């Protein structure tokens, strides 16, 4: 069982000092995929970094600029290109002259459509000024940040480690309020599980997700996160043991305890799990694994 943390105290537009080096301003964009809204983090004093400025909401830009009044924004750090994380980077750069850091997506993946449309969507216009796809370090007086490539939720996802506080800004890679949606083709379960272990290996004291409160008991939480993914895959294998099935048939049963508004997202994560299990040789699909494919246990296909 994942020990979710969902208690977060804030007011929209207000700037809260949440650690010696970290401030947070929450955007007014709550929803089933954003929880209470996008938490934009400001790191440092004097010369500061802004992490995930969020959706292009003029009132949120105003709140960020008010929070850094009298200071200089030198770095804008983006975890990934979803529209609740990166679109405000351009307006914030225009207002401050800061450099945008992140990782561009190699290609323009198609938007999800119809039944499986994701609420957040993609920010196809996102282009960092400087790429951190391979990792790297950025700093200013008083703070040092290491970019950690964490593909999985998206192919270009980055986490940012704040060395002075042994903390990590995890974007959507690890969230306290919910599990992370993995949406193929840009999202990849195999990459995600590998990236999860990479964050676990750092032994951070605190994780700061873009949505929701911080995670303080880090290692047990990540362990539970990984165990949950394995349990979901075991459930898929158990269901397929009864015979071939399609994702649309399995979601209502395997996610019966989940808000139905999240079933389209669950179907995308299940597709990611199917692709992962097919790579492992545990299941097979009719043709290439896809959202409408029929899946069966590999042993039953022999």
């Amino acid at each position: 069982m994942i020990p979710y943390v969902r208690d977060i105290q804030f007011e929209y537009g207000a700037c809260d000092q949440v650690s010696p080096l970290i401030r947070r301003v929450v955007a007014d964009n709550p929803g089933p995929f954003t929880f209470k809204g996008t938490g934009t983090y400001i790191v440092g004093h004097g010369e500061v970094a802004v992490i995930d400025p969020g959706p292009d909401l003029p009132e949120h830009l105003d709140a960020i600029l008010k929070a850094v009044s009298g200071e200089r924004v030198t770095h804008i750090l983006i975890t990934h290109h979803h529209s609740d994380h990166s679109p405000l980077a351009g307006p914030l750069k225009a207002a401050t002259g800061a450099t945008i850091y992140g990782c561009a997506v190699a290609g323009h993946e198609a938007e999800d459509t119809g039944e499986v449309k994701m609420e957040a969507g993609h920010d196809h216009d996102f282009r960092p000024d400087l790429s951190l796809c391979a990792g790297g370090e950025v700093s200013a007086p008083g703070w040092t940040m290491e970019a950690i490539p964490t593909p999985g939720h998206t192919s270009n996802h980055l986490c940012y480690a704040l060395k002075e506080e042994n903390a990590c800004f995890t974007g959507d890679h690890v969230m306290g309020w919910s599990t992370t949606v993995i949406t193929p083709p840009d999202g990849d379960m195999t990459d995600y599980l590998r990236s999860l272990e990479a964050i676990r290996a750092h032994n951070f004291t605190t994780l700061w997700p873009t949505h929701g409160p911080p995670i303080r008991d880090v290692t047990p939480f990540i362990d539970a996160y990984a165990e949950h993914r394995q349990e979901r895959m075991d459930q898929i294998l158990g269901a397929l043991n009864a015979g071939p099935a399609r994702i649309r048939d399995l979601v209502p049963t395997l996610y019966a305890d989940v808000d139905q508004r999240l079933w389209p997202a669950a179907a995308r994560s299940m597709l990611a799990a199917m692709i992962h299990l097919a790579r492992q040789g545990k299941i097979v699909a009719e043709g290439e694994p896809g959202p409408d494919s029929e899946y069966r246990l590999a042993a039953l296909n022999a």
Side-chain angles (χ1 to χ4, degrees):
M1 182 72 74
I2 298 174
Y4 290 117
V5 285
R6 295 175 171 136
D7 185 21
I8 179 171
Q9 304 298 319
F10 71 96
E11 292 182 11
Y12 289 117
C15 180
D16 297 314
Q17 190 81 45
V18 293
S19 86
L21 285 176
I22 303 170
R23 288 167 277 172
R24 182 184 62 213
V25 181
V26 180
D28 190 0
N29 64 327
F33 297 102
T34 58
F35 193 42
K36 303 296 185 179
T38 297
T40 296
Y41 294 103
I42 301 165
V43 177
H45 303 283
E47 293 186 13
V48 304
V50 175
I51 302 173
D52 281 351
D56 191 0
L57 298 174
E59 63 272 23
H60 190 51
L61 176 62
D62 290 344
I64 295 171
L65 294 176
K66 180 181 178 182
V68 299
S69 177
E71 299 177 289
R72 180 180 169 221
V73 179
T74 56
H75 299 70
I76 300 171
L77 306 178
I78 305 298
T79 61
H80 64 295
H81 70 299
H82 279 166
S83 60
D84 53 328
H85 291 254
S86 59
L88 201 61
L92 183 60
K93 175 183 177 178
T96 63
T99 300
I100 300 172
Y101 297 80
C103 180
V105 178
H108 281 330
E109 72 277 23
E111 289 277 7
D112 298 321
T113 57
E115 184 182 6
V116 295
K117 183 174 178 61
M118 299 299 296
E119 177 175 296
H122 309 296
D123 176 11
H124 289 305
D125 294 328
F126 173 65
R127 294 288 186 281
D129 298 318
L130 291 176
S131 176
L132 293 173
C133 291
E137 193 170 280
V138 297
S139 63
W143 60 265
T144 307
M145 205 87 72
E146 177 192 358
I148 305 172
T150 47
H153 174 63
T154 61
S155 60
N156 67 332
H157 198 286
L158 299 171
C159 292
Y160 295 96
L162 177 59
K163 293 190 174 182
E164 286 78 4
E165 295 190 0
N166 192 33
C168 188
F169 300 92
T170 54
D172 285 354
H173 184 56
V174 183
M175 299 182 294
W177 76 281
S178 177
T179 53
T180 299
V181 176
I182 314 296
T183 306
D186 191 50
D188 187 284
M189 185 67 74
T190 306
D191 288 344
Y192 180 78
L193 294 173
R194 188 181 301 118
S195 297
L196 200 60
E197 179 55 33
I199 294 300
R200 184 187 184 281
H202 278 77
N203 293 313
F204 291 114
T205 303
T206 307
L207 304 182
W208 294 95
T210 299
H211 307 289
I215 298 163
R216 306 286 188 184
D217 204 4
V218 175
T219 298
F221 191 92
I222 292 180
D223 287 347
Y225 231 51
E227 288 168 6
H228 172 78
R229 293 293 181 184
Q230 186 58 54
E231 287 170 1
R232 286 297 190 195
M233 286 185 278
D234 289 344
Q235 288 173 353
I236 290 171
L237 294 174
L240 292 181
N241 191 52
R246 302 180 191 275
I247 290 173
R248 62 174 175 265
D249 302 321
L250 296 177
V251 167
T253 300
L254 299 188
Y255 287 84
D257 59 340
V258 173
D259 186 338
Q260 290 190 26
R261 293 178 300 168
L262 300 178
W263 282 5
R268 301 304 292 179
S269 279
M270 187 177 290
L271 173 58
M274 294 291 195
I275 294 170
H276 179 69
L277 290 169
R279 285 177 183 151
Q280 293 182 317
K282 295 181 179 180
I283 67 172
V284 294
E286 289 181 333
E288 289 295 316
D292 299 317
S293 302
E294 184 177 81
Y295 296 88
R296 68 184 69 233
L297 294 179
L300 299 179
N301 197 56

